[in-house]
Amino acid sequence: MKPRAWVVCLALPGWLIAVAAQAADSALTVLEQNEKRLAQEAADAAGRFGADSLNTATARLHLAEFHIAGGRDKEARTALREVVAILIKRHGPDHPDVADLHTRLAGIELRLGDMQAARELLEGATAALERRLGAGHLNTASARINLARLLLSEPDKHERAATLLEASIPVLERTLWPEHPRVADAWMVLTRVRLLQGRLEEAIETVGKAARIREQALGPDAPLTGEALRERGRILAMQGEHQAAEVFLRRAVEILEPFARNEPLELAESLERLGESLVARERHGEAEPLFARVLELRERKLAGDHPLVLKSVNDLALLHLTKREFPKAAALFRRALEATEKRLGKDHLQVAFIQNNLAVVAWQQGNKAEADPLFERSMATAERHFAKDALGLSDWFAKSGAILLKEGVTEQGKRFLERAVTLLATAYGKNHPGVEKIRRSIEALQSAAPVAPVVPVAARQPAPAPAPAPAPAPAPAPAPAPAPPPVPVSVPVPLDPAPLPVAMQEEVTKALLAAASAPSPVEAVKSAQVKRPWPSDKAKFVLHLSCLAVNSPHLPRMEEKMTALKLPFYRKIIQNGENTFDCGFSGPYAEQQEAEEAMARIKTEGVSPDPMLKRYTRY
């Protein structure tokens, strides 16, 4: 009896495999049969009613929907285009059904990676509905919101996205009702726009409206309510209000936890935001299990070299480095390095940052023989990445060297900074006053460099920077040489795809320029139109006017208007992940009343439609 049972146990897996294979073949056969049947119905309709009949369009639409359900986007696109051609002939290009199909086609184009085609389709759909139904129709408002979502990926179109949303939300509130979930969705999109524009106070207001609507309409424990609460906590954390942020983030985690099996990525993002807020308050022990859980959730759903997975690996590695758990940090950095090289290539700037991080781990362990080759590799990687951009390379060396020097890696930090000076001297000439300022800054940094190594190189939320050492009084400088045209300079970013925190950018810039009262050549390269020094810590108020694409013609025109108004104006290049923005500011103003008077003049003269008054922190 026992041998028979053993034979059955051995045979059972093969039997199951055979049944599974037969079922798969049957399912494939059914799909093929259905596709052939729908294709035949479309052909029959064309033969019976004509190729341009509405019956033929309906049959082809059924075929397109079948392809969409099966994930065959190219086939679906072909079928939908045929349907659109028929409807345009029958009803004209402005018919609402044509606009609806253009919207569906735009979704397919996005999945196929053609952003421009998707935008053109949504632009056409929106314009057609405005002509046919009017600006106050629900369908028109929905089309505008779809277009605004797409424009989020284009930095120079964020203002237009905000305008579309601001015009659409009142229509949704009037045609549906103010507490409808679709209104909340629109408020969430507007929140994303405000975040991209850096308008955090307005983002807090819009996400609060979305959260209240979702809680009333969907319930306090609905996943979409959790999403809104998470975004509110995220914005509060960006403002430095981590204690308040923690309340919302923990509530979001509590709401999304029951849905982790089907929606692991939503829970992962909430846990990640909570962990980042805890790290900012140096509660590393509480953050570590959260980051580990985030990595586990993302690995469950995504490939090992997906950007979100690599971000989680990097976050966990940096946390271990901060806790001086060097073996764990090294293992994770090596994993991140291998996956990033495979995904992005060995010459990508993110690879250079991971190599630097891994070198710091070795250096912290006293393993100079391992650390030095890694530093050499990171330098070589950056040089290949900036092969045709010497000024961008000098910027990378300057900022990276400043960070290394601040972390106590004195020898390598000095090398990085000296390499930056050499590149700048080549670009401007060794006697350029800006190069001399950088040299004095390096001397000040070296004299203030810590003896003992401390935290990681590219931490997402660094500890507050110590006050820079007092700089020697600068010698009188000759008149500066004419600056070259604006050149977008890449700012170092950490492994994860999120923007480099503003705190880190300002910390490094402040340390690098400790001895200078005016922008270095690195900053001058970013904007040849800088007319005055960057605001000092004594400044109280600034006006944020606009952030546009680099080399946009609007900011020079804005500068001309500000000059005519005799108001202070300066520009700064700001890096956001892989995107670069040219931003205009006015100030600094010593008193709030003075800033408000300037803001009123700026609005009245049409220089900027919505300038923002900011207390000077890092602007």
Side-chain angles (χ1 to χ4, degrees), residues 370-393:
E370 181 182 353
D372 285 348
L374 283 166
F375 281 125
E376 294 292 336
R377 286 174 60 190
S378 74
M379 293 173 70
T381 301
E383 287 173 346
R384 290 194 300 270
H385 180 83
F386 290 109
K388 298 181 180 180
D389 183 8
L391 296 174
L393 181 61

Side-chain angles (χ1 to χ4, degrees), residues 72-209:
R72 295 179 293 277
D73 285 328
K74 291 183 178 180
E75 292 84 351
R77 178 175 60 183
T78 300
L80 278 180
R81 284 175 174 172
E82 293 171 350
V83 177
V84 168
I86 294 172
L87 292 185
I88 289 176
K89 287 183 180 179
R90 302 286 297 191
H91 300 312
D94 291 350
H95 195 276
D97 289 346
V98 175
D100 178 65
L101 290 176
H102 277 159
T103 301
R104 299 181 70 176
L105 270 172
I108 293 174
E109 296 291 2
L110 277 178
R111 291 195 294 273
L112 292 174
D114 194 338
M115 181 75 71
Q116 182 177 352
R119 178 158 56 81
E120 290 173 355
L121 286 164
L122 289 177
E123 294 271 15
T126 303
L129 290 171
E130 288 174 349
R131 290 191 296 267
R132 184 68 174 262
L133 302 177
H137 197 279
L138 177 61
N139 289 5
T140 305
S142 300
R144 284 173 168 173
I145 292 170
N146 287 331
L147 179 57
R149 289 179 192 271
L150 188 64
L151 295 179
L152 292 179
S153 61
E154 302 183 50
D156 60 335
K157 294 184 172 60
H158 292 162
E159 199 64 43
R160 187 183 173 208
T163 301
L164 290 168
L165 290 162
E166 289 167 349
S168 302
I169 289 174
V171 176
L172 294 183
E173 292 177 327
R174 184 176 65 252
T175 54
L176 298 171
W177 63 85
E179 290 77 28
H180 195 281
R182 286 178 62 184
V183 177
D185 295 343
W187 284 122
M188 287 296 294
V189 180
L190 185 55
T191 298
R192 292 179 60 195
V193 176
R194 294 307 186 208
L195 284 174
L196 290 169
Q197 294 176 315
R199 296 158 68 165
L200 300 185
E201 293 295 337
E202 295 175 55
I204 279 286
E205 181 182 353
T206 54
V207 78
K209 292 178 180 179

